[in-house]
Amino acid sequence: MQRKIRDVLLWTVGSMFAVALATIPDDLDRTDVYEKLYSTQKYHSSLTITHATEIIRRRVAGQYPNATVRRSKRVLDVGCSHGFGVSMLWSKGFHASGMDLSTTAVNLAIRNRKKPEQTVAGDDPCDGHACFKQGSAAAIPWPNASFDAIMTTDVLEHVPEPLLPTVVAEFTRVAVEALFMAISVVAERVKFGNATLHETVRKGSWWKAAFEASNHWRCRHSYPECPAVSHCARHAAEIAWVQCERVT
């Protein structure tokens, strides 16, 4: 049996295809796994920890150096956890929203992150709607072209590999300019019961090729750029930064 997620309109710049019913097979759906981790096992329990600090500072913010560049600077954090990365984006003037597979994580974000007054002109996907939503990277709960960019940090390695083509298609449907991705390339250090959380452990070059295979993105990959003495630097060899720019 397959769990119906929602109708997804397959989309590409300049072309519109038929509506297809997006489904995630039960054996690939990890919603219950991560809901249990957040609700009963104190997964990401510290509200002041995020994997996004350096990629925001050195890539996302660096890509948009001032408020007049790249439209309204709309960024979606896919796999936002308790929302600290989204609050960092807000503090830098971005129109930012977040989503997570776990409802408990989304509720933590809603309770603990207060959206400031924005000074950036343009449409904000948050205005009049929830800034944080529950959803899968394979079925993003926003309409086509809602964001200029998607940011995701230490998330894609958690996605079962058979779902990756659907994830690439969803990122392509929702983001119109850029992708900023930090992806673990090693198995998880901390185990939660018998669950294998890092299900797609691949090198940065593999992730680059996976997104470029859609013919919508031109990507580059590198090790993280981190301060010399930091948690980020100690684990830099375990992370790939993959940054993609829209080409079609």
Side-chain angles (χ1 to χ4, degrees), residues 184-198:
S184 177
V185 297
V186 298
E188 66 266 28
R189 289 175 170 273
V190 179
K191 289 286 188 179
F192 289 86
N194 295 323
T196 298
L197 300 184
H198 289 192

Side-chain angles (χ1 to χ4, degrees), residues 46-158:
S46 173
L47 297 178
T48 60
I49 290 178
T50 176
H51 298 295
T53 301
E54 292 303 321
I55 202 166
I56 289 175
R57 184 165 71 91
R58 297 175 183 266
R59 286 290 187 268
V60 185
Q63 185 77 2
Y64 303 92
N66 60 65
T68 64
V69 173
R70 300 288 183 108
R71 305 183 201 166
S72 58
K73 306 198 311 181
R74 305 165 301 163
V75 180
L76 173 64
D77 185 3
V78 173
C80 69
S81 187
H82 46 62
F84 191 38
V86 172
S87 68
M88 291 179 63
L89 290 167
W90 287 339
S91 72
K92 293 183 178 295
F94 288 89
H95 292 320
S97 300
M99 57 171 285
D100 201 274
L101 199 55
S102 164
T103 299
T104 295
V106 170
N107 288 337
L108 281 171
I110 291 170
R111 287 198 303 268
N112 290 282
R113 310 302 172 195
K114 181 175 174 56
K115 182 174 177 286
E117 292 294 326
Q118 292 282 359
T119 59
V120 181
D123 295 333
D124 184 353
C126 238
D127 285 348
H129 304 280
C131 292
F132 297 99
K133 297 182 181 183
Q134 189 278 334
S136 166
I140 296 174
W142 271 274
N144 296 351
S146 289
F147 296 92
D148 299 327
I150 283 175
M151 177 186 80
T152 184
T153 58
D154 281 47
V155 170
L156 292 185
E157 67 272 12
H158 295 260

